[in-house]
Amino acid sequence: MGRKRAWILFLLPSFAGVLVFVVCPFADVVRRSFLTAVTGKFVGLQNYRNIFQNTAFRTAVRNTFLFTGVCIPLLVALGLLVSLALSGVKRVQLIKSFYLFPMAMPTAAIVIVWKMLFYRQGFFNKYLVRFLGLVNGELAADGGECVAPVDYLGTNAAFFLLVATYIWKNLGYTIVLWLAGIMGLNGEMLEAARVDGAGKWQRLVYVLLPNLKGSLYTIVVLSFLNSFKIYREAYLVAGAYPHESIYMLQHLFNNWFVNLDLDKMAAAAVACGAVFLAGILFLQHAWDGREE
């Protein structure tokens, strides 16, 4: 009984914090999603109908899911490939420290670099003009003027630049997590597979990857959470109303907050929370099923 009481007392502060600062506020958001923001009048599902008919909401949802769907597979695959290449290096512990450097970079510094590179007067356009004699893929005629420089952050290229920013910033910790999983494997198991005639690809598919499921789950969850933090870079680079291709849910919530559209915010938060919860439960169920 004493050990059980100590276990309860140990978890009680954390549980109380989650209850007070997460569960209760979200319950209030659910309540407000059925009310008007000003008068507090009950309107049923009208707020939900309003957000699903809102073009900005649909655009933000599409871009957010597209961004997550592109970035996470790329990040996981690139991290695994690099970590496999580094796993045979002798001084890999020293190298791992350098891979965490992008995470230590202030967001403002990253934004300044992207602006210097890809704005209309940025270095990228100057490089195209000075060394290649072209801009936006069009070669200038002899003696003529080059095509006008492009503001890449104001075109569809902004989406791919944001993807590159996310990959660059988060690839390091992904490599470190993969390396931790690889280094923790039993070397005798891989050696036994090699002695039995298994090639590199067979050892990777049938021995290495099945034993890295724990690392994979951790990396996917952390990558998913970090994909929502990219809003800082998108907001500082292009403001509250960026190019349509990088208009995310975070932009939408920020703009609704500024305009005091609290009823829309509440309904959208509940809808997004339900989708995210369903996705997490599905992944957890699929994960548990594979382990069984």
Side-chain angles (χ1 to χ4, degrees), residues 218-268:
T218 302
I219 291 170
V220 170
V221 171
L222 290 177
S223 301
F224 177 74
L225 295 177
N226 286 327
S227 68
F228 290 93
K229 297 180 182 179
I230 200 67
Y231 164 72
R232 297 173 298 180
E233 286 81 355
Y235 182 83
L236 291 175
V237 166
Y241 295 94
H243 187 265
E244 182 179 342
S245 63
I246 58 172
Y247 188 77
M248 305 292 184
L249 279 171
Q250 297 92 328
H251 290 95
L252 183 71
F253 281 117
N254 177 74
N255 295 334
W256 278 351
F257 178 79
V258 172
N259 296 328
L260 297 179
D261 292 327
L262 302 182
D263 44 3
K264 291 182 180 178
M265 284 185 62

Side-chain angles (χ1 to χ4, degrees), residues 55-265:
T55 304
F57 177 76
R58 295 198 299 269
T59 300
V61 169
R62 182 187 70 245
N63 290 339
T64 301
F65 279 100
L66 179 62
F67 180 81
T68 303
V70 170
C71 286
I72 292 181
L74 279 176
L75 182 64
V76 172
L78 285 175
L80 178 60
L81 291 175
V82 176
S83 61
L84 288 174
L86 291 176
S87 60
V89 178
K90 293 182 178 180
R91 297 191 176 184
V92 67
Q93 298 296 335
L94 178 62
I95 297 176
K96 287 195 300 185
S97 302
F98 292 101
Y99 277 102
L100 295 176
F101 176 73
M103 297 195 70
M105 288 287 292
T107 302
I110 298 173
V111 169
I112 291 175
V113 171
W114 289 128
K115 285 185 176 181
M116 292 172 61
L117 286 174
F118 297 109
Y119 261 8
R120 191 181 300 277
Q121 292 80 24
F123 292 127
F124 187 68
N125 277 327
K126 289 185 178 180
Y127 172 79
L128 293 178
V129 172
R130 180 174 300 179
F131 296 101
L132 301 181
L134 55 86
V135 170
N136 199 24
E138 297 184 18
L139 189 63
D142 293 340
E145 295 183 356
C146 292
V147 181
V150 177
D151 181 8
Y152 295 97
L153 296 172
T155 65
N156 288 326
F159 177 82
F160 300 100
L161 294 177
L162 197 63
V163 169
T165 303
Y166 172 83
I167 300 260
W168 174 81
K169 188 170 185 180
N170 295 283
L171 183 61
Y173 90 88
T174 304
I175 294 172
V176 171
L177 291 176
W178 276 125
L179 281 174
I182 293 173
M183 296 301 181
L185 291 179
N186 187 353
E188 295 179 357
M189 184 167 47
L190 291 172
E191 182 64 22
R194 187 185 68 81
V195 171
D196 289 339
K200 291 184 178 180
W201 178 253
Q202 291 174 319
R203 294 199 300 271
L204 173 65
V205 175
Y206 297 108
V207 180
L208 192 61
L209 291 182
N211 287 281
L212 290 176
K213 289 182 179 179
S215 299
L216 175 62
Y217 182 77
T218 302
I219 291 170
V220 170
V221 171
L222 290 177
S223 301
F224 177 74
L225 295 177
N226 286 327
S227 68
F228 290 93
K229 297 180 182 179
I230 200 67
Y231 164 72
R232 297 173 298 180
E233 286 81 355
Y235 182 83
L236 291 175
V237 166
Y241 295 94
H243 187 265
E244 182 179 342
S245 63
I246 58 172
Y247 188 77
M248 305 292 184
L249 279 171
Q250 297 92 328
H251 290 95
L252 183 71
F253 281 117
N254 177 74
N255 295 334
W256 278 351
F257 178 79
V258 172
N259 296 328
L260 297 179
D261 292 327
L262 302 182
D263 44 3
K264 291 182 180 178
M265 284 185 62

